[in-house]
Amino acid sequence: MKKERKLIIAGNWKMNKTVAEALGLVRGLKIELANVKEVDIVVCPPFTALSEVSKAILDSVIRLGAQNMSPNPVGAFTGEIAAVMLKEFSVRYVILGHSERRQYQKESDALIAQKALAAHAASLKPIVCVGETLAEREAGQTEKVLQTQVPGSLAGLTREQVAETIIAYEPVWAIGTGKTATTAQAQQAHAFIRGLLAQLFDESTARRVRIQYGGSVKPANTRELMAQPDVDGALVGGASLEVRSFADIVKNSI
Ligand code: 13P
């Protein structure tokens, strides 16, 4: 598939996989995806598996991501993890502002922007998540939500930092529900986000940003979604937990 930007397929394992299970999964992925150069492949295990997974993927095309981090560099923040601690395990990416954290941990756009700044300061690439709920979509507020979340979650970033940020459009109603956005719905939202980036930063920056789609991505719907001009990859939840389905998603995106 010829794309303007290199696709990035990331697996968000959420709160799944013990260390032993995580190793089983990445060892299988390493074999399945040994020769894939066309797309960037990222796995985001829970913090507790980062160390072992990091060692297991050393000699592979798979890169490591974390699922969250503190906006603060060090200090009295019980239960938090700082960017430098992630760097110890060669983490390259960090998911920020996932809708589950926005919902359960009440993360705000302003906090997510602080985390994105801290990630860039440590040379980690943030994957900043945005997306509307079902009630918001049904009320015709998808664009209004994105108009708030996109500038709010990227506040204070330079053009260069934005270009190195990945945005994940994840409509909340499509997460874990088996209901994928239609290709038209995904493309429309992605194009809208890119338009916002052009307004907020500039056209050439907007063209560099990779925008992933997330929400019930499966091997069967990958090809069609990735064929959309503004869809530059996928953030995969459930289907990233098994070798077969995640490997097939990567292969079907090529
Ligand atoms: P599912 O692929 O399970 O719908 O999850 C999507 C997601 O939240 C990825 O971050």
Side-chain angles (χ1 to χ4, degrees):
M1 200 177 295
K2 186 83 197 86
K3 298 287 293 188
E4 186 175 348
R5 292 159 290 272
K6 189 174 186 189
L7 290 176
I8 175 166
I9 308 286
N12 175 8
W13 296 2
K14 307 191 180 182
M15 199 174 71
N16 293 287
K17 306 291 179 191
T18 61
V19 172
E21 291 164 348
L23 285 175
L25 176 51
V26 285
R27 284 179 184 143
L29 290 175
K30 254 175 80 170
I31 295 166
E32 283 287 330
L33 301 173
N35 300 314
V36 176
K37 299 272 181 328
E38 298 89 338
V39 301
D40 288 332
I41 305 165
V42 183
V43 293
C44 305
F47 291 126
T48 45
L50 286 175
S51 171
E52 289 300 319
V53 170
S54 176
K55 286 182 233 163
I57 60 175
L58 261 184
D59 53 344
S60 82
V61 294
I62 302 167
R63 296 286 171 265
L64 195 56
Q67 298 176 20
N68 179 39
M69 59 169 253
S70 171
N72 298 296
V74 67
F77 301 100
T78 301
E80 294 290 298
I81 303 280
V84 289
M85 299 169 182
L86 300 178
K87 298 279 289 185
E88 284 190 294
F89 303 122
S90 305
V91 169
R92 312 269 184 107
Y93 299 88
V94 58
I95 299 171
L96 298 177
H98 190 279
S99 62
E100 287 148 17
R101 297 199 62 84
R102 289 178 183 264
Q103 185 185 348
Y104 304 131
Q105 273 76 34
K106 305 284 173 255
E107 291 201 0
S108 66
D109 291 328
L111 175 67
I112 295 158
Q114 283 175 32
K115 292 184 178 192
L117 278 168
H120 281 296
S123 300
L124 288 171
K125 287 192 207 305
I127 298 176
V128 172
C129 302
V130 296
E132 80 286 0
T133 62
L134 182 60
E136 288 163 343
R137 175 158 285 263
E138 286 176 345
Q141 291 179 336
T142 298
E143 295 190 348
K144 191 169 152 241
V145 169
L146 295 174
Q147 267 165 343
T148 304
Q149 289 181 341
V150 173
S153 308
L154 302 176
L157 268 63
T158 64
R159 289 189 170 100
E160 202 45 47
Q161 287 171 331
V162 170
E164 294 295 321
T165 297
I166 292 123
I167 295 182
Y169 169 64
E170 299 205 306
V172 178
W173 48 272
I175 295 177
T177 57
K179 259 202 208 172
T180 319
T182 64
T183 50
Q185 284 171 328
Q187 168 56 26
Q188 196 177 11
H190 284 226
F192 183 76
I193 292 168
R194 203 176 304 285
L196 286 175
L197 295 172
Q199 277 172 32
L200 292 163
F201 302 94
D202 60 37
E203 192 77 39
S204 74
T205 303
R207 287 175 66 120
R208 288 171 63 194
V209 177
R210 294 188 287 182
I211 307 175
Q212 293 176 314
Y213 169 78
S216 300
V217 174
K218 298 184 173 53
N221 57 31
T222 300
R223 210 179 298 272
E224 213 188 342
L225 283 163
M226 296 308 122
Q228 303 306 306
D230 287 293
V231 176
D232 309 309
L235 186 55
V236 186
S240 73
L241 298 176
E242 305 221 339
V243 175
R244 186 72 273 138
S245 47
F246 191 64
D248 283 347
I249 286 171
V250 171
K251 289 175 184 173
N252 289 353
S253 74
I254 299 170

